[in-house]
Amino acid sequence: MTVLTSGLHHVTAIAGAPQRNIDFYVTGLGLRLVKRTVNFDDPGTYHLYYGDDSGRPGSLLTFFPWAGVRTGVHGVGQSTSTAFSVPAGSLGWWQKHFADLGVDSAITSTSSSEERLSLRDPDGLGLDLVASSTVDPRDPWDSASVPAEYAVRGQHSSVLTVADPTGTLQVLTRDLGMHVISEEGNRTRVGAGDGDPGALVDVIADPTGQAGLTAGGTVHHVAFRVPDRATQAEWRQELVERGYGVTEILDRDYFTSIYFREPGGVLFEIATDTPGFDIDEPLLELGRSLKLPPWLEPSREAIEHSVVPITVPAENNPALVAGV
């Protein structure tokens, strides 16, 4: 391929009650709600975006929350865990923080290069906090709930669980331009660029595992970065020529997207870094109000009556609260 990804753009998952989701990710994980919009394909439900102060690519975890959604099954053909990067030495603080919130967590791996704290969100989504010996230079969101010295720096990696990793690894390396970093047992790690946090994917081979069911508490798709729409169009053409069933370029307002399913069953997206989340509201006000794309604005009143009322914690927009 002539185009290479620079890493992860975002992960999108399915949740239940939207208020519970907001409370956990803003006050529990210390992320910022950077956009409150709707699912463009189903405007009766929200699409919630969490990330750093401005929602930079590589910091984002997004949700389609449906109250009362059935519980999904984690298994083969899915992204089974989403990992965030935190500073070295911070996992003890995080474990106590989650315990105070009534959330179970456990140290699942320790090595000289990487420690991992595993937990599940209120809907059962698998999350990891990874404290790596590689210093992550990205600035954290300055949350009232999580001091900056411990705070999430952005995504670390995504775990893909597949029956046969051959095709999945081929897509990641040949078609997305990533490279193999390590192989240990049934886990292969690939990375983009220098393989820093935010540019990593772990592929786990599980040939006898149960097939996953995408519903509440599971990942819907994993998105990879491309700088702009022109490069995306070039990449799409190359993927089509290689035989992938790739969607047309879709306008998501804050980026454009193409989608295709890799051989292991995981839905991949390639999303642009531009234009970003401040095109329709100032940085200070991100996530404060419901934003709709121009083609849905005529239906605003109906949409506002169809979605569940929610409250965004004051810490999401501290400068505005301080100025009141």
Side-chain angles (χ1 to χ4, degrees), residues 19-50:
Q19 187 64 59
R20 182 178 64 183
N21 182 263
I22 290 170
D23 291 342
F24 177 80
Y25 283 96
V26 173
T27 63
L29 204 58
L31 301 180
R32 188 182 192 193
L33 178 67
V34 295
K35 194 62 60 178
R36 185 200 320 185
T37 184
V38 294
N39 183 334
F40 291 176
D41 302 315
D42 180 12
T45 189
Y46 290 110
H47 192 175
L48 304 175
Y49 292 79
Y50 303 94

Coordinates of all heavy atoms in Angstrom, one line a residue, residues 19-50:
Q19 N -26.8 8.0 30.6 CA -26.4 8.8 31.8 C -25.3 8.0 32.6 O -24.3 8.5 33.0 CB -27.5 9.1 32.7 CG -27.1 10.1 33.9 CD -26.7 11.4 33.4 OE1 -27.4 12.1 32.7 NE2 -25.4 11.8 33.7
R20 N -25.6 6.7 32.7 CA -24.6 5.8 33.4 C -23.3 5.8 32.7 O -22.2 5.8 33.3 CB -25.2 4.4 33.5 CG -24.3 3.4 34.3 CD -25.0 2.1 34.4 NE -25.2 1.4 33.1 CZ -25.8 0.3 32.9 NH1 -26.3 -0.4 34.0 NH2 -25.9 -0.2 31.7
N21 N -23.3 5.8 31.4 CA -22.2 5.8 30.5 C -21.4 7.1 30.7 O -20.1 7.1 30.9 CB -22.6 5.6 29.1 CG -21.4 5.5 28.1 OD1 -21.1 6.5 27.5 ND2 -20.8 4.4 28.0
I22 N -22.1 8.2 30.7 CA -21.4 9.5 30.9 C -20.8 9.6 32.3 O -19.6 10.0 32.4 CB -22.4 10.6 30.7 CG1 -22.8 10.8 29.2 CG2 -21.9 12.0 31.2 CD1 -24.0 11.7 29.0
D23 N -21.5 9.2 33.3 CA -20.9 9.3 34.7 C -19.7 8.5 34.8 O -18.7 8.9 35.5 CB -22.0 8.8 35.7 CG -23.2 9.8 35.8 OD1 -23.0 11.0 35.3 OD2 -24.2 9.4 36.3
F24 N -19.7 7.3 34.2 CA -18.5 6.4 34.4 C -17.3 7.0 33.6 O -16.2 7.1 34.2 CB -18.8 5.0 33.9 CG -17.6 4.1 33.9 CD1 -17.2 3.5 35.1 CD2 -16.8 3.9 32.8 CE1 -16.1 2.7 35.2 CE2 -15.6 3.1 32.9 CZ -15.3 2.5 34.1
Y25 N -17.5 7.4 32.4 CA -16.3 7.8 31.6 C -15.8 9.2 32.0 O -14.6 9.5 31.9 CB -16.6 7.7 30.1 CG -16.5 6.2 29.7 CD1 -17.7 5.4 29.7 CD2 -15.3 5.6 29.5 CE1 -17.6 4.1 29.4 CE2 -15.2 4.3 29.2 CZ -16.3 3.5 29.2 OH -16.2 2.2 28.9
V26 N -16.7 10.1 32.4 CA -16.3 11.5 32.8 C -15.7 11.5 34.2 O -14.6 12.0 34.5 CB -17.4 12.5 32.7 CG1 -17.0 13.8 33.2 CG2 -17.8 12.6 31.2
T27 N -16.4 10.9 35.2 CA -16.0 11.0 36.6 C -15.2 9.7 37.0 O -14.5 9.8 38.0 CB -17.2 11.2 37.5 OG1 -18.1 10.1 37.4 CG2 -17.9 12.5 37.2
G28 N -15.4 8.6 36.3 CA -14.7 7.4 36.7 C -13.3 7.3 36.0 O -12.3 7.1 36.6
L29 N -13.4 7.4 34.6 CA -12.1 7.2 33.9 C -11.4 8.6 33.7 O -10.3 8.6 33.3 CB -12.4 6.6 32.5 CG -11.3 5.8 31.9 CD1 -10.7 4.7 32.8 CD2 -11.7 5.2 30.5
G30 N -12.2 9.7 33.9 CA -11.5 11.0 33.8 C -11.4 11.5 32.4 O -10.5 12.3 32.2
L31 N -12.2 11.0 31.5 CA -12.1 11.5 30.1 C -13.1 12.7 30.0 O -13.9 13.0 30.8 CB -12.5 10.4 29.1 CG -11.7 9.1 29.2 CD1 -12.2 8.1 28.1 CD2 -10.2 9.4 28.9
R32 N -12.9 13.4 28.9 CA -13.8 14.5 28.6 C -14.9 14.1 27.5 O -14.5 13.5 26.5 CB -13.1 15.7 28.1 CG -13.9 17.0 27.9 CD -13.2 18.2 27.4 NE -14.1 19.4 27.6 CZ -13.8 20.5 27.0 NH1 -12.8 20.7 26.2 NH2 -14.6 21.5 27.2
L33 N -16.1 14.4 27.8 CA -17.1 14.3 26.7 C -16.9 15.4 25.7 O -17.2 16.5 26.0 CB -18.5 14.3 27.4 CG -19.7 14.2 26.4 CD1 -19.8 12.8 25.7 CD2 -21.0 14.5 27.1
V34 N -16.4 15.1 24.6 CA -16.0 16.1 23.6 C -17.1 16.3 22.6 O -17.1 17.3 21.8 CB -14.7 15.8 22.9 CG1 -13.6 15.8 23.9 CG2 -14.7 14.5 22.2
K35 N -18.1 15.4 22.5 CA -19.2 15.6 21.5 C -20.4 14.8 21.9 O -20.3 13.6 22.2 CB -18.8 15.3 20.1 CG -19.7 15.8 19.0 CD -19.8 17.3 19.0 CE -18.5 18.0 18.7 NZ -18.6 19.5 18.7
R36 N -21.5 15.6 22.0 CA -22.8 14.9 22.2 C -23.6 15.1 20.9 O -24.1 16.2 20.6 CB -23.5 15.6 23.4 CG -24.8 14.9 23.8 CD -25.8 15.7 24.6 NE -25.2 16.6 25.6 CZ -25.9 17.3 26.4 NH1 -27.2 17.3 26.4 NH2 -25.2 18.1 27.3
T37 N -23.7 14.0 20.1 CA -24.5 14.1 18.9 C -25.4 12.9 18.9 O -25.6 12.3 19.9 CB -23.6 14.3 17.7 OG1 -24.3 14.4 16.5 CG2 -22.6 13.1 17.5
V38 N -25.8 12.5 17.7 CA -26.7 11.3 17.5 C -26.0 10.4 16.5 O -25.1 10.8 15.7 CB -28.1 11.7 17.1 CG1 -28.8 12.5 18.1 CG2 -28.1 12.4 15.7
N39 N -26.5 9.1 16.6 CA -26.1 8.2 15.6 C -26.6 8.6 14.2 O -27.9 8.6 14.1 CB -26.6 6.8 16.0 CG -26.2 5.7 15.1 OD1 -25.9 5.9 13.9 ND2 -26.2 4.4 15.6
F40 N -25.8 9.0 13.3 CA -26.3 9.5 12.0 C -27.2 8.5 11.3 O -28.0 8.9 10.4 CB -25.1 10.0 11.1 CG -24.4 11.2 11.7 CD1 -23.3 11.6 11.0 CD2 -24.8 11.8 12.8 CE1 -22.6 12.7 11.5 CE2 -24.1 13.0 13.3 CZ -23.0 13.4 12.6
D41 N -27.0 7.2 11.6 CA -27.8 6.2 10.9 C -29.0 5.8 11.7 O -29.9 5.1 11.2 CB -26.9 4.9 10.7 CG -25.7 5.2 9.8 OD1 -25.8 5.9 8.8 OD2 -24.6 4.8 10.2
D42 N -29.1 6.3 12.9 CA -30.3 6.0 13.8 C -30.4 7.2 14.7 O -30.0 7.2 15.9 CB -30.1 4.7 14.6 CG -31.2 4.4 15.5 OD1 -32.3 5.1 15.4 OD2 -31.0 3.5 16.4
P43 N -30.9 8.3 14.3 CA -30.9 9.6 15.0 C -31.7 9.6 16.3 O -31.7 10.5 17.1 CB -31.5 10.6 14.1 CG -31.3 10.0 12.7 CD -31.5 8.5 12.9
G44 N -32.4 8.5 16.6 CA -33.1 8.4 17.9 C -32.3 8.0 19.1 O -32.8 7.9 20.2
T45 N -31.0 7.8 18.8 CA -30.1 7.5 19.9 C -28.8 8.4 19.8 O -28.5 8.9 18.8 CB -29.7 6.0 19.9 OG1 -29.0 5.7 21.2 CG2 -28.8 5.7 18.8
Y46 N -28.2 8.6 21.0 CA -27.0 9.4 21.0 C -25.8 8.7 20.3 O -25.7 7.5 20.2 CB -26.6 9.7 22.4 CG -27.5 10.6 23.2 CD1 -28.3 10.1 24.2 CD2 -27.5 12.0 22.9 CE1 -29.1 11.0 25.0 CE2 -28.4 12.8 23.6 CZ -29.2 12.3 24.6 OH -30.0 13.2 25.3
H47 N -24.8 9.5 20.0 CA -23.4 9.1 19.7 C -22.6 10.0 20.6 O -22.5 11.2 20.4 CB -23.0 9.2 18.3 CG -21.8 8.5 17.9 ND1 -21.3 8.4 16.7 CD2 -20.9 7.8 18.7 CE1 -20.1 7.7 16.6 NE2 -19.9 7.4 17.9
L48 N -22.0 9.4 21.6 CA -21.2 10.1 22.6 C -19.7 9.8 22.4 O -19.3 8.7 22.3 CB -21.6 9.6 24.0 CG -23.0 9.7 24.4 CD1 -23.3 9.1 25.8 CD2 -23.5 11.2 24.4
Y49 N -18.9 10.9 22.4 CA -17.5 10.8 22.1 C -16.7 11.3 23.4 O -16.9 12.4 23.8 CB -17.1 11.8 21.0 CG -17.5 11.4 19.6 CD1 -18.8 11.6 19.2 CD2 -16.7 10.8 18.7 CE1 -19.3 11.3 17.9 CE2 -17.1 10.4 17.4 CZ -18.4 10.7 17.0 OH -18.8 10.4 15.7
Y50 N -15.8 10.5 23.8 CA -14.9 10.8 24.9 C -13.5 10.9 24.5 O -13.0 10.1 23.6 CB -15.0 9.8 26.1 CG -16.4 9.6 26.6 CD1 -17.2 8.6 26.1 CD2 -17.0 10.4 27.6 CE1 -18.5 8.4 26.5 CE2 -18.3 10.2 28.1 CZ -19.0 9.2 27.5 OH -20.3 9.0 28.0

